[in-house]
Amino acid sequence: MVRQANIEIRYPGMATPKYTLTQQAIEEEWTLIQAAQTNPSRFGVLYNRYYEQIFRFIYQRTADEDLCADLCAQTFIKAMQNLSKYSYKGVPFSAWLYTIASNEINQYFRKSNKSRVVTLEDNYVNTIKDEMDDKVELEINIVRLEKVLKKLKPDEIQMIELRFFEKRPFKEVGDILAMTENNAKVKVHRIILKLKDLFKDLSDD
Amino acid sequence: MKYNYNIKVNPPKLSSEDIGKHKNFDALLEQFNKEGGAQTGKSGASKPLIKYIGIGLLGLAATIALIFTVRGLFNGNAETEGLLALKGPFSDIKKEFTNFEVDADKGDTIHHSSGSVIVVPASAFVDKKGLPVAGKVDIQYRQFDDPVDMFLAGVPQSDGAQTLQRAGLMQIQGFKDGEPVYIGKDKELQMELKATVSANMPLEDLKSYAYTAKEKKWTEGSTVKVEVISESGQLENPMDTVIKNDGSLKSKAAFLAELQKKYTKPVKPFEPSKGTPKGMIALGLDFNSKDFPEFAQYENVEWVAAKSIVSPLPEEGWSDMQVKRLSEMKYEIVMIPNDASKKEGRKEVRFEAFPLIPYTQKTKADYDKSLLAYKSAETKREEILNNELRAWEQGEGRFANVITDNKDDKAPLKSIISRFAVKQFGLWSAANKFNMDQLASVKPEFRDANGNKVAVAEVFVADNNRQLFYSSSETASLHFDAGNEHVQLWAIGTDGSLLVAAPAPKEEGKTVRFVMQPASVKTETDIRKLLTM
């Protein structure tokens, strides 16, 4: 399935966060980053711009508002502390923030000995169905999806979350996971094949 | 292999408001500074942030408890009550407060040098516990009379949702022995705010607005009673007292304005448009084309205006409609209610409207032809202007750096007094809400004199005709009235420097190109010379 490069995702009843930027916008954003590198109080522009996106990203992976607020604050503090090391690579600044947020989330679950949270919504079932080959008749529902997801590796879950649950373009998935857009497409394709097999296995049981 | 994920189905959805509650950049910045600022070397071990946040939350809980305890004893809350610290772009240039000592028991009347008056009733103040404050109280007051004042003080202009068209702005706070005091519940100071505003400023529905720092919001208060005390047309500008000009010599801006008047700008043809632009609605206007010669060559002209303004207007009950040209592409429409509607309380409505030529093969061909002619005429005009300006700079213009504008170049003004009640300390303004949809949204490009891209962190726009001053750190798009000669733009560069846009930015479709000139400024006077039109 091919998606347009600039895609916007609308959460029901909520503001529309923009997940991708044009090259010109990325360049303009770089001027803001440079300003914040010399004067931390100017980081406020970037903070205001990305706070909600990062918060939602973390909430999707924790489902706990208070914990999410803490991890979000840590993400932005880490970003400010390390901003001087940030250099222009032609990708949105948000990709760097998502990477820091992912590290914070993983660190939290590792240190607290808790299991990694995966959030599912009813509408994800249809999203996954859409990705399956039309010719294959598979019974997919939320209970079966839950069972199947438990058989995926953490990095595969991360890919599913970014691409299907959060509906990010391949380019952005690649930016966040530090891989090329093509590599992201290949990996996602393999996961779809794996999912199909897992759903089949469930039907055969 | 089976992984032990904690799968949560349909967790509660969070709205933007839910998330916004956790957002606090000031706290983050404070924490960042406490933790030693930026890491310069290799990333070290992570600091005990959760512990810190835990302590911070305890502190916050204590503060909230305190606020709840004292809330109800005075108006507003501690954050809005005089503790608002504004941060301007230049740390060494500040708008100072004037200090007044008042007798809290008896009350007092404060007369500020601007002509503004504040009436303080007896027993008006309480301390943070809500207990009455007796004896001498220090009142600090400052007034922001123009966009330069607001810019230098770092006055928050809008909260993202609304922009204010101001007819006066001031900040007031009170202290007893160095500790903040508050205005007691059911008490209010009577404010008479004197200001100079554009003659075009509508004054019928002015409201008072108080700024709430916590919510970063201007909150509408009561209706303002306005008294117009002078409509002489030209009033003293603070700069006139700095450098006297007898009018025989002109500043560069005045000379340029004279040149532009002499060599009239060619009229840009209207580009035919397919359909009604987003957010606009077509108006059924019937007008005599003789009154509008600029449309003579077009057979059909339609008019559009912001839907949010026009849609709520009733169709009936109007006696007259006036159309006034504001700039090349923009007109002001004034709807005048008939007597019956007036009796029901309906008031005159003003809004901006834009002509639209419907797209056909003929109108497109005509447009292409006219555009070529326009561009050629514009190039010729620029050449003449540049030549004359060069000649002037080598002659009289050598003295231009010590001359301010001739008073005759300024927009007509009026002097007013706005009367309203002040129920809490902080920032207050007498203002109208302004619908920014009225201004075109343009794509700004910032270049230096050589055409190289200039990085800007924040853009400031002053529209002296409309009493508007707004800023934006989002530089991808900007509300900007390019055809309005009373609009001035400047910016803070990413290096913290001041950049001032040269007059008459170039428009190319939706893109407006600003030539940004770096300004070396050390004092408020330097800044005023550059930013006062």
Side-chain angles (χ1 to χ4, degrees), chain B residues 459-522:
Chain B
V459 181
F460 299 84
V461 181
D463 183 339
N464 297 320
N465 216 15
R466 292 193 183 88
Q467 292 290 131
L468 276 181
F469 178 55
Y470 51 97
S471 63
S472 173
S473 50
E474 289 288 342
T475 51
S477 74
L478 181 74
H479 284 291
F480 189 77
D481 187 0
N484 185 341
E485 61 183 9
H486 296 292
V487 174
Q488 194 177 18
L489 179 142
W490 65 86
I492 291 292
T494 48
D495 57 356
S497 64
L498 176 65
L499 301 160
V500 183
K506 278 212 162 184
E507 286 178 81
E508 281 169 20
K510 277 201 155 188
T511 303
V512 177
R513 184 172 294 173
F514 297 92
V515 178
M516 305 303 285
Q517 297 164 334
S520 169
V521 287
K522 285 183 181 158

Side-chain angles (χ1 to χ4, degrees), chain B residues 19 75 102 179 260 280 289 292 306-307 310 342 350 500:
Chain B
I19 295 173
N75 300 317
V102 301
E179 290 292 320
Q260 281 165 348
M280 307 293 262
S289 61
F292 297 88
K307 199 174 180 179
V310 175
K342 271 184 193 165
R350 287 167 187 265
V500 183

Side-chain angles (χ1 to χ4, degrees), chain B residues 44-61:
Chain B
S46 153
K47 297 190 176 172
L49 199 62
I50 292 182
K51 188 180 165 194
Y52 176 83
I53 289 170
I55 295 166
L57 286 175
L58 277 176
L60 182 67

Side-chain angles (χ1 to χ4, degrees), chain A residues 52-141:
Chain A
E52 186 171 337
Q53 291 182 29
I54 298 299
F55 197 101
R56 290 196 187 284
F57 177 87
I58 299 171
Y59 186 69
Q60 173 80 28
R61 289 152 181 81
T62 56
D64 179 331
E65 188 176 341
D66 292 333
L67 171 64
C68 179
D70 283 354
L71 293 177
C72 197
Q74 291 185 66
T75 299
F76 280 102
I77 279 283
K78 287 264 165 73
M80 287 179 81
Q81 287 171 335
N82 293 290
L83 195 65
S84 59
K85 298 171 202 161
Y86 184 89
S87 59
Y88 181 74
K89 292 188 182 75
V91 299
F93 182 62
S94 56
W96 190 60
L97 293 175
Y98 287 127
T99 308
I100 299 173
S102 284
N103 291 340
E104 290 302 315
I105 297 164
N106 292 340
Q107 196 180 20
Y108 167 78
F109 285 120
R110 206 169 44 241
K111 282 189 177 174
S112 61
N113 272 332
K114 287 183 180 169
S115 302
R116 199 252 208 230
V117 170
V118 178
T119 42
L120 282 187
E121 289 179 21
D122 292 331
N123 61 337
Y124 293 171
V125 172
N126 287 335
T127 309
I128 294 293
K129 269 185 190 168
D130 288 345
E131 295 301 324
M132 299 289 117
D133 193 333
D134 291 343
K135 291 168 197 165
V136 185
E137 280 296 326
L138 290 170
E139 192 193 339
I140 303 177
N141 56 42

